[in-house]
Amino acid sequence: MRIVILGGAGMLGRKLVERLAAIGSLGGRPITGVVLHDVVEPALISAPFPVSAATGDLADPGVAEAAIAGRPELIFHLAAIVSGEAEADFDKGYRVNLHGTLKLFEAIRHAGITPRLVFSSSIGVFRGPFPETITDDFHTVPQTSYGTQKAIDELLLTDYSRRGFFDGVGIRLPTICVRPGKPNKAATGFFSNIIREPLAGHAAVLPVGDEVGMWHASPRAAVGFLIHAASLASGLIGPRRNITMPGVSCTVGDQIAALRAIAGDAVVARIRREPDPTIQRIVSGAAWKFTPKRALDLGFTADRDFAGIIEAHIADELGGRIMA
Amino acid sequence: MRIVILGGAGMLGRKLVERLAAIGSLGGRPITGVVLHDVVEPALISAPFPVSAATGDLADPGVAEAAIAGRPELIFHLAAIVSGEAEADFDKGYRVNLHGTLKLFEAIRHAGITPRLVFSSSIGVFRGPFPETITDDFHTVPQTSYGTQKAIDELLLTDYSRRGFFDGVGIRLPTICVRPGKPNKAATGFFSNIIREPLAGHAAVLPVGDEVGMWHASPRAAVGFLIHAASLASGLIGPRRNITMPGVSCTVGDQIAALRAIAGDAVVARIRREPDPTIQRIVSGAAWKFTPKRALDLGFTADRDFAGIIEAHIADELGGRIMA
């Protein structure tokens, strides 16, 4: 099985290829090669199959065609401008997140291949007011340009799949927490910062109140969603190709309590409260209580609870050690 | 108030400008001119204000900019490839219904005007399985390319409005019935044909069973929606800019019963049953039972019942006379 990962230099793309290298096959079919594609040069890894890198902006002429020239049977489309940047730069967000995706879909259509395409959408397609819990048939009326672009991509994915141009699955990812590495431009970055930084011995800023809730998935769980989506039988998915992923629903207060239970008061004391009304406004209207029935019926599995998310971070990123 | 009607040569565009000519003002402001724009030359009418015509394809370079060069304060965007044609010609549907709309929105943004923009969306954005009744927060997962394009346009309209580039309102029109004139390429054409043709003394083909239901609005009611949407206070609409219009929910059997009550058995006998599995499949999954609470709260009003729809047709199109 030939695989292309678009957005292969990103956090999820890197973790995904590492997981693919570890498992070596998907749905019983051996992986014969992976192309990592991104706007910046992706780092290569050693794997039991060839891993190569390619660069380019999907919105530029010919780039999407070149990215799929190897006629992949599986494409992970993770490439996107993140929420904060898409909000700050209207043209760039639409250029990459809408037109880049559309160019990719058109390239696949005209190449005459019909790969499974796994698309990373986002719970950012939803915006309140919400019912008590968000079911699978709740409308997608985003109030960010990022959410708008993802919701449009979902619609295109459904139509292109219905037409038989490819076999698409969109998975609406929860907020990824604990996100490793440096903060990116997402307004939701602090959900990770307040766990990652204190565990590493650093201070972290908490810009919102303890009552703010979020729908979380660890990077480990998110990679699991991608892998599971890659080999789901198309007939099981049905005509509604975009699926809200399961997650852990908790408040900032719940996050901090879990951190305290695992790492102690001294670590929690590294969180500094600096309220930011803009971030509070953005995240306090976010979706954080779901009933992701379709995903659960299809076998997608979430983290156990927020403590499980912290434990996954300590195991996967910190080699089991915390700075107590 | 300067007004541009895109799709001004279509049935709704023509009826809309006739209504505007009759009322002469909107929301207390006198109409100072109307531009009718379409791919074919729109027919001019006499009105208490200047009416001019312009032609061009919104997807062609410069056409959208030219269409709004008069800096309109109100734009009706009714231009679209209809459902059957958008399904038959994938590229043409996306070119006009997605890229044409996007070019229009960009032209408005860059012109530095912030008009009210009334967009004719469609209940084609919905596809079953449905709950018992479709509420305002039901998801839009179309299963036609036309519905997909309308749903995407709705998302763009919401985001461009949120950004302050214009003041958009999308109204999801029911099936227009009784549609006057010749059949167009919509798969739903028979809903009108079985009323219009018999009333005019002609035979009509009914390709589906009596149990098939639809959500109907007369052309008169649809023009009323457009006019009402044009002067609704933006603050009342709120951030969710697309609204399902009220309609008349009835089956083909109900339609025929209403026709019989108004026009008699001889007229009904002109309906010939010729089942068409393709059309049956397309329309039997259509949305036809709604609870359009938001629209009703905002003052949009539907036809009284299907008999009222037939009576409006006889009055507006047949000069009160039927071929009994």
Side-chain angles (χ1 to χ4, degrees), chain A residues 231-277:
Chain A
S231 47
L232 264 184
S234 194
L236 288 179
I237 302 166
R240 292 173 174 172
R241 311 297 298 186
N242 299 285
I243 307 164
T244 300
M245 291 294 102
V248 171
S249 177
C250 69
T251 63
V252 166
D254 296 333
Q255 288 186 259
I256 294 172
L259 181 64
R260 190 184 311 275
I262 289 171
D265 289 338
V267 169
V268 168
R270 295 175 189 141
I271 300 172
R272 201 170 63 231
R273 292 169 191 276
E274 290 182 12
D276 180 324

Side-chain angles (χ1 to χ4, degrees), chain A residues 5 17 20-21 31-36 42-53:
Chain A
I5 303 176
V17 71
L20 293 174
I31 299 168
T32 55
V34 172
V35 177
L36 301 173
L44 297 181
I45 67 162
S46 67
F49 44 76
V51 178
S52 59

Side-chain angles (χ1 to χ4, degrees), chain A residues 76-204:
Chain A
F76 293 97
H77 177 29
L78 318 177
I81 300 296
V82 298
S83 58
E85 192 171 6
E87 200 60 23
D89 190 336
F90 184 84
D91 287 308
K92 185 174 183 181
Y94 273 92
R95 175 183 152 80
V96 174
N97 294 351
L98 171 52
H99 295 287
T101 295
L102 198 43
K103 281 195 157 69
L104 170 67
F105 289 3
E106 281 288 279
I108 297 169
R109 173 185 167 212
H110 289 291
I113 56 176
T114 52
R116 166 59 52 92
L117 185 144
V118 179
F119 171 64
S120 60
S121 188
S122 162
I123 55 167
V125 298
F126 298 108
R127 186 72 182 188
F130 294 122
E132 180 58 30
T133 180
I134 300 170
T135 54
D136 288 321
D137 61 4
F138 191 70
H139 61 171
T140 57
V141 186
Q143 295 293 328
T144 61
S145 291
Y146 176 79
T148 300
Q149 292 145 13
K150 289 291 188 185
I152 291 173
D153 292 344
E154 287 191 356
L155 286 160
L156 292 168
L157 179 143
T158 299
D159 202 38
Y160 276 67
S161 296
R162 184 183 65 83
R163 292 275 190 166
F165 299 146
F166 55 73
D167 177 14
V169 192
I171 60 175
R172 293 180 187 134
L173 294 177
T175 289
I176 303 300
C177 186
V178 180
R179 182 177 284 277
K182 304 247 178 261
N184 67 14
K185 292 187 185 177
T188 50
F190 71 86
F191 289 110
S192 287
N193 299 348
I194 62 168
I195 306 298
R196 182 189 60 240
E197 299 304 314
L199 284 172
H202 308 309

